[in-house]
C-alpha cells in the first residue's frame, strides 16, 4: 500500500479444468499499526538515460511525513528490474553517511540500504538520497519501486514509497 488506507481491494482469478472447481480455503492479511509514516514519497533522477550504456548512475530521493504515533524507519528497499551494479552513497539531509550498510539481493531484484540511525517523528521532511548504478534495458517505462521498513522488526509490513515531489530542485516526481 502506498500509505495508510481505510479500505483495500483484492482480486482472485480461478482457473479450472473440466468439471473441477476452485475455492479459497484460507486468506490472511497483515498490517502494521501504526505505520512507519503517514506518507512516504520518492523520486528518481535522472528520468531519461541512454539505453546503450551498460550502467547508469541514479539518485533515489525519499522523504516522509510523520505523525507522533508513527513508528519510523531505518531501511530503504529499492527494486531494480535489471539488477544493480553498485550502491555508491547515502546522504541524509545532504550529509554523506559513512556508517550505512547495503545488501544487494541474491536474486538480482534490487537492494536494501540501512541508515546509520532510525528516522522518527522528529525527522519528518528529512530527505534521504541513495545513489546507485544500474542497467536500463527498456526504452520506456523502467520503474524503480521502493519501500521503507524498520530493520529491528523485519517481519512487519514494508511501507511502499509513492512517486511524488520530494524537493523542488529535483525535476522528476516519478520513480
Amino acid at each position: 500500500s502506498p500509505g495508510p488506507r481505510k479500505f483495500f481491494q483484492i482480486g482472485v482469478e480461478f482457473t479450472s479444468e473440466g468439471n473441477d472447481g476452485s475455492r479459497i480455503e484460507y486468506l490472511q492479511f497483515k498490517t502494521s499499526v501504526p505505520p512507519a509514516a503517514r506518507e512516504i514519497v520518492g523520486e528518481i533522477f535522472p528520468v531519461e538515460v541512454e539505453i546503450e550504456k551498460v550502467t547508469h548512475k541514479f539518485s533515489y530521493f525519499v522523504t516522509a511525513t510523520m505523525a507522533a504515533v508513527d513508528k519510523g524507519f531505518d531501511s530503504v528497499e529499492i527494486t531494480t528490474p535489471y539488477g544493480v551494479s553498485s550502491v555508491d552513497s547515502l546522504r541524509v539531509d545532504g550529509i554523506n553517511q559513512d556508517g550505512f550498510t547495503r545488501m544487494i539481493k541474491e536474486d538480482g531484484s534490487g537492494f536494501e540500504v540501512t541508515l546509520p540511525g532510525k528516522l522518527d517523528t522528529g525527522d519528518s521532511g528529512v530527505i534521504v538520497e541513495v545513489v546507485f548504478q544500474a542497467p536500463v534495458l527498456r526504452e520506456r517505462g523502467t520503474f524503480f519501486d521502493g519501500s521503507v521498513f524498520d530493520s529491528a522488526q523485519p517481519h512487519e509490513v514494508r511501507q511502499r514509497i509513492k512517486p511524488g515531489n520530494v524537493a523542488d530542485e529535483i525535476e522528476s516526481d516519478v520513480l
Side-chain angles (χ1 to χ4, degrees), residues 52-119:
E52 292 85 27
K53 286 184 157 183
V54 176
T55 60
H56 301 279
K57 184 176 267 192
F58 294 98
S59 290
Y60 199 103
F61 299 90
V62 178
T63 191
T65 303
M66 296 194 225
V69 296
D70 295 338
K71 294 189 305 187
F73 62 93
D74 69 352
S75 298
V76 178
E77 175 185 43
I78 299 174
T79 302
T80 56
Y82 306 111
V84 63
S85 303
S86 65
V87 181
D88 302 330
S89 63
L90 172 72
R91 291 182 198 92
V92 177
D93 252 8
I95 300 170
N96 283 326
Q97 305 293 309
D98 295 327
F100 78 98
T101 59
R102 65 202 84 159
M103 186 206 51
I104 296 174
K105 294 185 179 181
E106 290 180 17
D107 65 0
S109 65
F111 62 93
E112 294 177 3
V113 172
T114 303
L115 310 176
K118 186 174 180 179
L119 299 180

Side-chain angles (χ1 to χ4, degrees), residues 1-90:
S1 172
R5 299 283 191 258
K6 190 173 182 178
F7 303 100
F8 66 93
Q9 179 178 351
I10 62 167
V12 179
E13 187 174 312
F14 291 99
T15 304
S16 59
E17 296 178 14
N19 293 329
D20 294 341
S22 300
R23 69 179 181 185
I24 297 174
E25 291 188 26
Y26 184 76
L27 187 63
Q28 179 178 348
F29 295 94
K30 185 174 181 182
T31 62
S32 292
V33 179
R38 287 295 113 195
E39 182 178 53
I40 306 285
V41 178
E43 61 185 316
I44 196 164
F45 186 83
V47 292
E48 292 184 12
V49 295
E50 298 175 29
I51 60 172
E52 292 85 27
K53 286 184 157 183
V54 176
T55 60
H56 301 279
K57 184 176 267 192
F58 294 98
S59 290
Y60 199 103
F61 299 90
V62 178
T63 191
T65 303
M66 296 194 225
V69 296
D70 295 338
K71 294 189 305 187
F73 62 93
D74 69 352
S75 298
V76 178
E77 175 185 43
I78 299 174
T79 302
T80 56
Y82 306 111
V84 63
S85 303
S86 65
V87 181
D88 302 330
S89 63
L90 172 72

Side-chain angles (χ1 to χ4, degrees), residues 140-175:
R140 299 187 70 171
T142 300
F143 190 76
F144 294 95
D145 201 8
S147 59
V148 299
F149 63 99
D150 183 352
S151 63
Q153 299 179 342
H155 301 294
E156 283 293 309
V157 176
R158 296 176 180 208
Q159 187 170 344
R160 211 168 138 221
I161 299 168
K162 69 178 192 173
N165 185 25
V166 173
D168 292 335
E169 55 273 3
I170 306 163
E171 299 179 14
S172 75
D173 296 355
V174 297
L175 295 174

